[in-house]
Amino acid sequence: MQIQAKNIFVLSSVLLLFGCIKPYDPKISSIEENKYVVSGVVTDREGWQEVEVSLSSPIESSEYLAVSNCQVKIQDNKGNVFFLEEYNPGLYHVWMDQKYLERGASYQVRITTPEGEVLASGFDTMQNGPQIDSVYYSLEDVLTPDPEITLRGMQFYVDLDAEGDYSRYYKWEVEETWEYEAARPVENFYDGNYHQVYPPDYTNKVCWSYGLVKQVFTVSTKNLSHNAYYGYPLHFIDGSTSRLGILYSILVRQLALSARAYNYWDQLRINSNTNGGLYEKQPLNIKGNMTNATKPEKIVLGYFHTASVSERRYFYHDIKGIDLDFSNGCVEEDPAVGGFRIYETWEYPIYYYTTVFGTKILSNECIDCRLMGGTTVKPDFWPK
């Protein structure tokens, strides 16, 4: 499969642990509420290994319910035990040296809750995985709710080349980061007095936003003659958001899994793709590998597994052939009758700018990019 991609430059391949345990946003019936939800992964790379413990919540008050003050430990099949500490509510981690992270070794998690219940996973064996192969895109058109209108965007693909003594089961995660800007710097504001800012304040004009693509990408080569797969589709983006406005980056993470871990994630892929996306509900009908050793009749949701990880980061900019049509949230208005004196003190400061054509009142989104969900802290990996 030949697909040409332009305007890409690639950072060198990275093989690092990047613990990325995302909380579920459970939307379930009251009958299914208050189940323990456990998720975690041990990778083959030295670093922080993480486990998350939470509770499912009732449909009428869907929320993330962290479970704190648990005793959490990871143990391997060689008798080594690693005790995790809680660093955020419901999030536990432990640093594991490379010598304890061997392919072929098996790991399990055991959790003692504040109520004294013991939650345990089965042992999962660390697989051997290759380095990530090519990631690329094709400009493609997708249908919109109006069948006569299509939307052009970037459809990403990944190639898998695992010939050799490697796993037959894979999962990919895609982490997005993009740069965007507010419409204007701070030049003038009114807070009962008129202020001119010179030079203009650009502090909150440039932001970066990031997140995990909420889709599950899995493939098995078990029934293929070769341990390879070319042109596996990842996510799709278009010009209707600020992602492609300045500079867009993806970190593609390839995880080599055991057969059982793959079956869990593949069922979750089918479940989420059918019903609206990963993390929009909990996989109540998907059996994980967690059990309640104290009260076996109580169902425990989630999965704990191992993964051999390979990563590679890509940058994209100035994509030809895609129309950019998105809102930066900025609203400019003419001053109301009565001018600035009509504003209440709780509305201060009132930002504005003036040209030869008159004065425009600015919404806060015009001068503060953080209000669109990002941060002004530039990522370490971002180009200078």
Side-chain angles (χ1 to χ4, degrees):
M1 179 175 183
Q2 288 294 110
I3 299 178
Q4 297 299 319
K6 300 179 181 179
N7 305 310
I8 305 176
F9 59 96
V10 183
L11 290 185
S12 58
S13 178
V14 183
L15 287 171
L16 295 173
L17 163 69
F18 192 96
C20 199
I21 309 301
K22 299 292 182 180
Y24 289 107
D25 177 21
K27 295 178 175 65
I28 56 180
S29 68
S30 58
I31 296 176
E32 301 289 352
E33 66 183 45
N34 295 329
K35 286 183 172 62
Y36 286 110
V37 184
V38 177
S39 59
V41 59
V42 171
T43 77
D44 63 340
R45 292 297 172 257
E46 177 174 290
W48 292 106
Q49 313 295 336
E50 300 194 4
V51 174
E52 177 188 13
V53 187
S54 62
L55 286 174
S56 58
S57 62
I59 190 171
E60 61 271 14
S61 59
S62 178
E63 59 181 325
Y64 176 62
L65 302 175
V67 180
S68 292
N69 303 315
C70 293
Q71 297 176 22
V72 183
K73 63 181 179 181
I74 294 172
Q75 56 192 51
D76 63 21
N77 60 339
K78 298 181 180 181
N80 298 305
V81 180
F82 309 90
F83 294 93
L84 286 70
E85 62 178 357
E86 186 173 16
Y87 68 96
N88 271 325
L91 296 175
Y92 303 81
H93 66 183
V94 63
W95 183 275
M96 293 177 64
D97 294 336
Q98 189 64 60
K99 64 181 179 180
Y100 297 113
L101 301 169
E102 300 179 0
R103 296 174 182 180
S106 298
Y107 304 82
Q108 77 163 177
V109 66
R110 293 184 68 86
I111 301 163
T112 302
T113 71
E115 291 73 29
E117 297 181 40
V118 177
L119 315 178
S121 73
F123 276 94
D124 193 62
T125 302
M126 186 80 72
Q127 303 298 304
N128 190 21
Q131 293 191 18
I132 192 169
D133 202 291
S134 302
V135 175
Y136 46 94
Y137 73 86
S138 172
L139 293 184
E140 298 180 12
D141 296 316
V142 299
L143 293 175
T144 66
D146 186 339
E148 296 183 358
I149 298 178
T150 58
L151 191 63
R152 170 147 288 208
M154 302 169 69
Q155 173 61 60
F156 288 91
Y157 296 90
V158 62
D159 288 346
L160 171 68
D161 185 356
E163 296 292 356
D165 185 23
Y166 294 120
S167 171
R168 287 273 183 167
Y169 306 96
Y170 292 89
K171 171 176 177 279
W172 289 275
E173 297 173 350
V174 181
E175 185 176 283
E176 304 175 290
T177 307
W178 64 96
E179 181 178 342
Y180 68 97
E181 293 185 351
R184 305 186 65 87
V186 176
E187 299 176 275
N188 303 277
F189 67 91
Y190 175 81
D191 61 0
N193 294 298
Y194 295 95
H195 301 271
Q196 182 180 27
V197 180
Y198 187 82
D201 183 0
Y202 286 82
T203 302
N204 295 323
K205 192 173 190 303
V206 181
C207 277
W208 291 264
S209 191
Y210 57 90
L212 188 69
V213 173
K214 293 183 180 181
Q215 292 173 259
V216 182
F217 307 106
T218 57
V219 75
S220 169
T221 62
K222 178 183 178 181
N223 297 320
L224 302 180
S225 58
H226 296 281
N227 195 5
Y229 196 105
Y230 300 103
Y232 181 86
L234 297 175
H235 68 304
F236 175 89
I237 63 170
D238 56 68
S240 63
T241 73
S242 61
R243 284 170 170 78
L244 299 179
I246 300 176
L247 183 61
Y248 176 72
S249 175
I250 56 173
L251 178 69
V252 181
R253 185 176 300 111
Q254 177 177 282
L255 295 88
L257 306 176
S258 66
R260 289 184 177 180
Y262 167 81
N263 288 336
Y264 172 82
W265 283 106
D266 194 50
Q267 286 299 310
L268 187 57
R269 174 189 63 82
I270 295 170
N271 187 56
S272 62
N273 290 354
T274 301
N275 295 282
L278 182 62
Y279 311 120
E280 292 189 9
K281 59 180 175 17
Q282 281 181 332
L284 297 179
N285 297 320
I286 301 175
K287 183 175 177 57
N289 66 345
M290 298 299 306
T291 59
N292 189 320
T294 307
K295 298 180 179 180
E297 71 279 5
K298 296 183 65 173
I299 295 174
V300 181
L301 304 178
Y303 207 90
F304 175 84
H305 65 98
T306 63
S308 174
V309 179
S310 173
E311 298 177 340
R312 185 175 291 182
R313 181 172 292 283
Y314 297 79
F315 289 88
Y316 306 85
H317 67 98
D318 191 24
I319 305 300
K320 306 301 182 184
I322 296 181
D323 294 328
L324 300 180
D325 183 17
F326 60 88
S327 171
N328 59 11
C330 177
V331 177
E332 299 184 5
E333 297 179 328
D334 294 326
V337 176
F340 287 90
R341 290 188 297 275
I342 69 168
Y343 290 101
E344 302 289 342
T345 56
W346 59 266
E347 297 179 275
Y348 293 164
I350 308 301
Y351 297 99
Y352 67 96
Y353 72 93
T354 301
T355 69
V356 293
F357 300 104
T359 297
K360 289 291 185 180
I361 306 298
L362 301 171
S363 66
N364 289 339
E365 288 80 3
C366 297
I367 53 87
D368 191 345
C369 59
R370 297 173 301 173
L371 298 179
M372 299 298 288
T375 175
T376 56
V377 179
K378 185 177 183 179
D380 293 338
F381 58 81
W382 210 250
K384 303 298 184 182

